[in-house]
Amino acid sequence: TGVPGCGASLHEPNKALRIELNANANCTWQIQRNANQTIRIVFSHFKFAPSSSCETESIRVFDGASTASALLGQVCDDTDAVPVLESSSDSLTFLITTNSVPFTRNFFVYYYFFSPGSRTENCGGELTGPNGTFSSPNYPAPYPQFRYCVWHIQAPKNSKINLEFRDFFLELDRNCQLDFTAVYDGASTASGLLGKVCGLAQPTFESSSNVLTVVLSTDDSNSYRGFSAQYSTAPLPGPMEPNTTLTCSSDSMRIVLSKPYLASLGFGEAHLQLNDPSCRPVVRDSVIFSFPLASCGTIKKDEGHSITYTNTISLAAAGSAITRQRNTEITAQCTMSNNETLELIYTTTNNAIQKLAAGGRYNVSMAFYESDLFSKPIQYSPYYVDLNQTLFAEVTLHSTDPNLQVFIDTCTASPQPGFGSLTYDLIRSGCSKDDTVVTYPAFENHGRFKFRAFRFLRSFPSVYLQCDIVICDSNSTNTRCARGCISRQKRAISPYTWKTNTVVGPIRLKRDLRAAEHSESLTEVEAEKTPNLQQHNFYTLAFVVLISNILIVVAVTLKHHKHRVGYSYQNAQSS
């Protein structure tokens, strides 16, 4: 990958570029190779200076050997997509310019040559009807490298699409730069990004209309089993309700307004804008605002039990400053809490200010890492470890809001999945209660801790680990995250009503792996048998992640040999 300087001439058949630039850069990369193929380039991560405009800071991509060639596309700070562009020949050029703001810009770009129409490009497809299923190429075997698959889903009119990934395992990296799945709220990748996912997860998405687009993009580094997905449909609001939707995700806010609805409010579709006047809508059959969660003048407020993001759509006369008069405002509010169900609220007061409110959820993933550098995630499964080996775990919040903090509040071990009377505290109220547990200082949008692998009970085959993870506004001083270790909890965390399950692992002892290999080497017949799971005990670590009122359960199953090694519950309590 490397860290190239300001521009380069590239001739390799494929290459990944990790680019870091400062202010006042004007750098050109030229890709050219004598081949009867075209180039696909993926801008899988880009971080410009905050609030920069396309006029002062952007990536421009040209269909040829120089910047004098035809413009293929442009990437800016407010680009609501994972840009993937293709040349018409064997050369392509991209130019990155930055403004004078002192800020370190980061980009991850990779390209590869391919032959359009070849068999290797045969993936994706068209899906119609009220429900259906689809999966990544070769599933459940590892997906191929350098693939770009697009599925277009079109359901019956007046319906919305609920998409669920029943099984999902892609290469994990911090910003989903390598292999990723992206979901768009419409008929193409220009429709507004609902989310980008990688790693081990079970994501769900909901469209605002009867069309949805799903993308799978892979590189050449590592391949896993991919995904299996299903979709179903539900009716949109009836004809008596305004055809207007608000969709909230961990990455963005998306507002869809019907033209008749706007006309009934006296709004001119050509002169609508958000709190930031530079944020304008895309006008098609409907008027659509789609923007990163913490941009376009959005106001964030930490309510304690939830975090809200609020923006206002206002009418501005052509050529004049924004006007905020009676009957000319629509307030959109996303509440990131325990309610992911879309809820529209229409307020018909004398001022006729319309309010759209919707619930959303933060996208969180968890992974084990090789060391306390947290640079190399464990990509294989099962994860074999030694007894008393130190395990490094990281919870990552995937959000476009840079001012969020992840805090590990409580982790409790128990031999019972219902966490009955037999429990053992590893972390309680932000305080380490076990000598092997170390929590790391907050780092950007990550929560990190380490602990030693152990047998919790000699007489019980299973152990569960429940962790409460809190998400706070990092700019607020009076939050649970800022208070750190609290010896006595003044009040319990409020009850939650929503949870989701995902799995990392399984984790298994290396001695069990060696024992299994020895057993298999004794007889070829035994080696060909399917293992009888009843001959083994199972031991489970369940990570339950509480985000404000959101609970995420991460279950990790550890199979061990019948010869138990560990310490008793009484010893665990005494330690």
Side-chain angles (χ1 to χ4, degrees):
T1 303
V3 182
C6 183
S9 180
L10 307 170
H11 305 285
E12 296 89 341
N14 60 80
K15 192 174 183 63
L17 306 172
R18 198 182 306 273
I19 301 170
E20 183 177 295
L21 296 175
N22 295 312
N24 301 314
N26 187 38
C27 307
T28 302
W29 284 262
Q30 181 194 65
I31 306 168
Q32 191 168 16
R33 186 166 180 261
N34 293 326
N36 189 24
Q37 292 179 306
T38 58
I39 304 166
R40 179 176 290 135
I41 188 166
V42 182
F43 297 90
S44 56
H45 177 69
F46 48 92
K47 188 173 184 179
F48 293 94
S51 303
S52 60
S53 66
C54 284
E55 288 74 21
T56 62
E57 192 156 299
S58 69
I59 305 172
R60 286 183 289 170
V61 185
F62 300 91
D63 191 15
S66 72
T67 56
S69 305
L71 183 67
L72 271 179
Q74 185 171 242
V75 184
C76 309
D77 182 52
D78 61 354
T79 298
D80 188 29
V82 185
V84 179
L85 300 169
E86 297 176 0
S87 68
S88 62
S89 65
D90 56 5
S91 60
L92 182 145
T93 303
F94 66 95
L95 167 68
I96 303 181
T97 57
T98 65
N99 58 29
S100 59
V101 175
F103 182 82
T104 300
R105 289 84 168 164
N106 290 286
F107 310 93
F108 191 85
V109 185
Y110 65 87
Y111 75 86
Y112 53 92
F113 284 79
F114 73 103
S115 299
S118 65
R119 188 168 58 88
T120 59
E121 288 291 304
N122 186 21
C123 63
E126 306 288 333
L127 300 169
T128 59
N131 51 70
T133 61
F134 61 100
S135 59
S136 55
N138 298 341
Y139 177 86
Y143 48 79
Q145 64 183 19
F146 293 135
R147 288 297 175 92
Y148 183 69
C149 309
V150 182
W151 291 267
H152 298 284
I153 304 174
Q154 182 164 359
K157 291 183 178 180
N158 300 318
S159 65
K160 60 182 179 181
I161 300 170
N162 295 306
L163 176 64
E164 176 186 1
F165 289 88
R166 296 174 296 178
D167 184 28
F168 189 97
F169 191 10
L170 269 63
E171 182 176 8
L172 172 68
D173 70 278
R174 193 152 293 162
N175 295 305
C176 294
Q177 300 171 146
L178 307 175
D179 300 337
F180 62 86
T181 291
V183 180
Y184 296 89
D185 191 21
S188 72
T189 57
S191 304
L193 182 67
L194 288 178
K196 181 174 69 166
V197 193
C198 63
L200 193 61
Q202 288 181 321
T204 60
F205 298 93
E206 181 180 271
S207 69
S208 61
S209 68
N210 66 321
V211 287
L212 196 69
T213 300
V214 181
V215 168
L216 170 66
S217 180
T218 71
D219 67 356
D220 65 334
S221 53
N222 294 291
S223 293
Y224 300 92
R225 65 176 177 266
F227 65 76
S228 173
Q230 66 179 13
Y231 74 90
S232 59
T233 54
L236 284 171
M240 296 303 293
E241 300 179 12
N243 185 18
T244 297
T245 60
L246 169 63
T247 304
C248 308
S249 73
S250 185
D251 296 309
S252 64
M253 184 185 299
R254 179 175 172 83
I255 308 165
V256 180
L257 306 169
S258 72
K259 293 180 180 179
Y261 173 56
L262 291 173
S264 70
L265 298 177
F267 277 63
E269 62 191 54
H271 306 300
L272 295 177
Q273 54 198 35
L274 296 172
N275 288 344
D276 181 348
S278 66
C279 294
R280 295 299 183 99
V282 174
V283 179
R284 296 193 181 95
D285 294 338
S286 299
V287 178
I288 302 172
F289 287 93
S290 185
F291 51 95
L293 202 58
S295 67
C296 292
T298 300
I299 300 171
K300 181 174 68 174
K301 185 176 181 182
D302 192 336
E303 305 285 356
H305 60 281
S306 63
I307 296 178
T308 61
Y309 298 84
T310 306
N311 212 314
T312 302
I313 301 172
S314 300
L315 178 65
S320 69
I322 187 170
T323 60
R324 300 191 183 277
Q325 304 171 350
R326 292 172 55 157
N327 303 321
T328 60
E329 288 187 357
I330 300 174
T331 299
Q333 185 177 89
C334 288
T335 300
M336 310 302 283
S337 65
N338 62 337
N339 182 11
E340 67 163 347
T341 303
L342 182 66
E343 178 185 9
L344 297 182
I345 303 175
Y346 298 92
T347 305
T348 55
T349 63
N350 292 333
N351 288 335
I353 296 176
Q354 306 294 307
K355 181 178 180 180
L356 309 179
R361 64 173 185 173
Y362 289 116
N363 180 14
V364 175
S365 65
M366 188 170 188
F368 288 106
Y369 282 76
E370 293 182 359
S371 70
D372 57 3
L373 296 177
F374 292 97
S375 59
K376 295 181 179 180
I378 302 301
Q379 298 281 11
Y380 48 86
S381 178
Y383 177 26
Y384 287 95
V385 301
D386 289 315
L387 194 65
N388 291 324
Q389 176 180 330
T390 300
L391 306 183
F392 303 90
E394 178 182 80
V395 178
T396 300
L397 168 65
H398 304 279
S399 177
T400 55
D401 185 348
N403 298 313
L404 293 174
Q405 181 179 348
V406 176
F407 178 75
I408 301 172
D409 182 83
T410 297
C411 287
T412 303
S414 172
Q416 302 167 344
F419 285 82
S421 58
L422 296 177
T423 61
Y424 175 67
D425 285 348
L426 298 176
I427 303 171
R428 171 64 58 181
S429 301
C431 307
S432 296
K433 297 296 183 181
D434 181 272
D435 291 340
T436 72
V437 173
V438 176
T439 57
Y440 295 85
F443 174 71
E444 295 180 344
N445 56 335
H446 308 290
R448 296 167 171 174
F449 64 99
K450 66 179 180 180
F451 63 97
R452 288 184 183 175
F454 60 94
R455 300 296 179 105
F456 181 56
L457 293 175
R458 182 183 299 275
S459 56
F460 288 90
S462 300
V463 68
Y464 300 83
L465 181 66
Q466 175 175 281
C467 295
D468 298 340
I469 308 298
V470 180
I471 292 180
C472 309
D473 183 353
S474 59
N475 292 326
S476 298
T477 56
N478 188 27
T479 65
R480 175 67 193 90
C481 302
R483 285 181 287 173
C485 172
I486 300 177
S487 57
R488 288 188 178 182
Q489 190 83 8
K490 293 184 178 180
R491 63 177 182 175
I493 298 174
S494 56
Y496 53 82
T497 60
W498 180 91
K499 67 180 181 180
T500 186
N501 296 323
T502 188
V503 177
V504 293
I507 301 174
R508 296 174 182 171
L509 288 178
K510 289 182 179 178
R511 58 175 289 175
D512 293 343
L513 175 61
R514 291 190 291 267
E517 291 174 344
H518 176 69
S519 176
E520 289 177 358
S521 66
L522 294 179
T523 168
E524 181 178 352
V525 175
E526 286 295 316
E528 294 175 351
K529 287 185 177 180
T530 300
N532 183 355
L533 298 183
Q534 295 179 351
Q535 295 177 356
H536 302 272
N537 294 321
F538 285 83
Y539 147 99
T540 303
L541 302 178
F543 294 86
V544 180
V545 183
L546 180 64
I547 307 167
S548 297
N549 289 349
I550 301 178
L551 181 70
I552 295 182
V553 180
V554 183
V556 181
T557 301
L558 173 57
K559 182 181 73 174
H560 66 82
H561 194 268
K562 281 186 176 180
H563 296 88
R564 299 186 178 93
V565 178
Y567 54 85
S568 67
Y569 170 68
Q570 289 79 12
N571 291 336
Q573 288 284 53
S574 63
S575 66

